[in-house]
Amino acid sequence: QVQLLESGGGLVQAGGSLRLSCTNSRRTASNNGLGWFRQAPGKEREFVATVSWNSASKVYAESVKGRFTISRDNTKSTVYLQMDRLTPEDTAVYYCAAARGPFGGSSRSNYQYWGQGTQVTVSS
């Protein structure tokens, strides 16, 4: 039902911006909450942001509030993560994920489908 393909990662200097995209290539129903997680080397995968199926609810990790913006376009079956004012602490592999229901929250256990991940590296 869901196959997530992620893009937009890369190398950026501190203070710069990147926009990540994740598309459901199977173009199935857009009733799932969507989220972004990240994992740095040697660290646990952590929650970044999530958005409900109709974009009515958005939740961000405290570490990215005010800097990252999550959005989705259901006509394109795509979720975005706009990342501004990046710091080296944001360096990680970023994963998009689709929840089992209309809103996934911050727990990894609520997400059924995962993308392949895209590397974001922020230089100092």
Side-chain angles (χ1 to χ4, degrees):
Q1 286 186 311
V2 177
Q3 186 173 71
L4 302 175
L5 301 176
E6 196 170 23
S7 63
L11 176 64
V12 65
Q13 291 184 331
S17 298
L18 285 173
R19 188 180 74 161
L20 306 183
S21 301
C22 185
T23 298
N24 176 13
S25 63
R26 298 186 181 180
R27 299 295 195 275
T28 51
S30 300
N31 297 330
N32 305 86
L34 297 171
W36 289 93
F37 294 78
R38 67 186 182 186
Q39 187 168 20
K43 297 183 178 179
E44 186 177 348
R45 189 172 301 185
E46 66 176 359
F47 168 75
V48 176
T50 190
V51 58
S52 62
W53 76 276
N54 59 356
S55 297
S57 299
K58 296 180 180 180
V59 177
Y60 298 91
E62 289 294 329
S63 60
V64 306
K65 282 184 178 179
R67 299 189 299 119
F68 291 9
T69 303
I70 189 170
S71 61
R72 64 188 295 168
D73 185 345
N74 289 346
T75 67
K76 299 180 179 179
S77 299
T78 299
V79 61
Y80 305 94
L81 185 68
Q82 177 66 44
M83 305 184 294
D84 298 320
R85 302 191 300 281
L86 286 161
T87 76
E89 296 299 313
D90 297 315
T91 295
V93 176
Y94 283 71
Y95 300 87
C96 61
R100 300 178 186 274
F103 183 68
S106 61
S107 176
R108 298 197 308 269
S109 64
N110 293 330
Y111 295 84
Q112 183 176 11
Y113 305 99
W114 294 83
Q116 79 285 359
T118 186
Q119 177 71 49
V120 172
T121 302
V122 184
S123 62
S124 60

